[in-house]
Amino acid sequence: MSAGTTRLLLLGAVSLFEPVNGYQIRRELLSWRVDEWASTRPGSIYHGLRRLAEDGLLRATAVDDDGRDVVVYEITPEGRTRLETLIVESIESVNVFDRRAFLAAFSLLPTLGEQRARAALTNRRTALIDALDELVAGRSDEYSPPHAKRTLDLWTRLACTEREWIDAVFDEWDDMRSTFDQAWAPPSDDPGTEMLVERDRYLRALRTR
């Protein structure tokens, strides 16, 4: 996976749960199974967080947590700007052979805001149609061997499925609004709920510094 997608996932997860420690981010991202669909190595998460803090995109602060020092992360204004840019770029840039960046961006869609999210998805649909035209043109190449044509046919069908999926997202947009107005909340036994409780404790610790 590209470094840009890693930064996108880390910035996005911190923005959703800040202030949050590295272990919580690792646990949350692995619950999204990013090690499988995004090829994120679990051990790279801590290094990535430290690097983002060094670059000024995250703020790292050591706080006392029941007698032990814990580093918690918050996103900076520069980090939020970069996050939103990465989300838009990853949604609007179509690569019919690799959708990992798009999947990462879509998982963070609520951080973008409803209007920008809808605009980015609209632009992706337009770009996807252009990409489909190229794929269809490639299938008619009379010099391609049969197995290559079948491979191209698979990529074309997957792209068509994605276009239909985006149309379904727009058709069900009223349901999507709950993710933008924060009406949706995880169930009480979800680890995300535990993180919200811990966030309140970290916020109190930060205020006393």
Side-chain angles (χ1 to χ4, degrees):
M1 182 179 64
S2 72
T5 305
T6 301
R7 292 163 77 86
L8 168 61
L9 285 167
L10 293 177
L11 285 171
V14 171
S15 75
L16 289 172
F17 297 102
E18 63 178 339
V20 62
N21 66 48
Y23 170 76
Q24 292 171 319
I25 290 295
R26 181 182 185 275
R27 182 183 63 188
E28 181 65 17
L29 289 180
L30 291 181
S31 76
W32 299 3
R33 303 176 71 171
V34 298
D35 53 327
E36 298 179 37
W37 61 263
S39 303
T40 298
R41 291 180 292 106
S44 70
I45 291 174
Y46 297 107
H47 172 75
L49 290 169
R50 289 192 296 268
R51 181 61 185 269
L52 288 168
E54 292 171 0
D55 292 344
L57 301 180
L58 295 179
R59 181 185 304 110
T61 308
V63 299
D64 178 76
D65 187 14
D66 291 333
R68 62 189 181 94
D69 284 339
V70 175
V71 176
V72 297
Y73 295 93
E74 300 169 278
I75 194 166
T76 65
E78 295 81 2
R80 191 166 299 281
T81 298
R82 182 58 181 154
L83 169 62
E84 292 177 359
T85 299
L86 285 171
I87 292 175
V88 171
E89 289 178 349
S90 298
I91 291 175
E92 294 184 347
S93 299
V94 171
N95 180 350
V96 296
F97 308 111
D98 188 346
R99 293 179 174 83
R100 286 176 293 182
F102 169 67
L103 291 172
F106 192 83
S107 69
L108 301 168
L109 203 65
T111 66
L112 198 58
E114 182 178 354
Q115 185 175 358
R116 292 187 69 189
R118 190 177 181 100
L121 284 170
T122 298
N123 291 338
R124 182 176 183 86
R125 187 184 186 282
T126 300
L128 187 59
I129 291 173
D130 292 339
L132 267 169
D133 289 341
E134 294 182 11
L135 287 173
V136 171
R139 284 196 304 180
S140 62
D141 184 358
E142 60 181 305
Y143 298 107
S144 297
H147 70 280
K149 289 183 178 180
R150 298 312 303 168
T151 301
L152 194 57
D153 180 63
L154 173 60
W155 289 120
T156 304
R157 290 171 184 266
L158 290 171
C160 286
T161 298
E162 184 187 334
R163 183 194 59 195
E164 294 169 0
W165 175 84
I166 291 177
D167 289 341
V169 170
F170 285 134
D171 289 342
E172 300 169 5
W173 195 261
D174 285 344
D175 292 335
M176 291 281 292
R177 287 200 170 94
S178 64
T179 68
F180 297 106
D181 59 20
Q182 299 182 342
W184 183 89
S188 59
D189 59 348
D190 187 275
T193 300
E194 178 185 343
M195 290 174 69
L196 296 178
V197 174
E198 293 172 338
R199 177 177 66 183
D200 291 339
R201 188 172 72 249
Y202 289 149
L203 284 170
R204 290 193 296 270
L206 288 169
R207 283 196 294 266
T208 60
R209 287 182 58 84

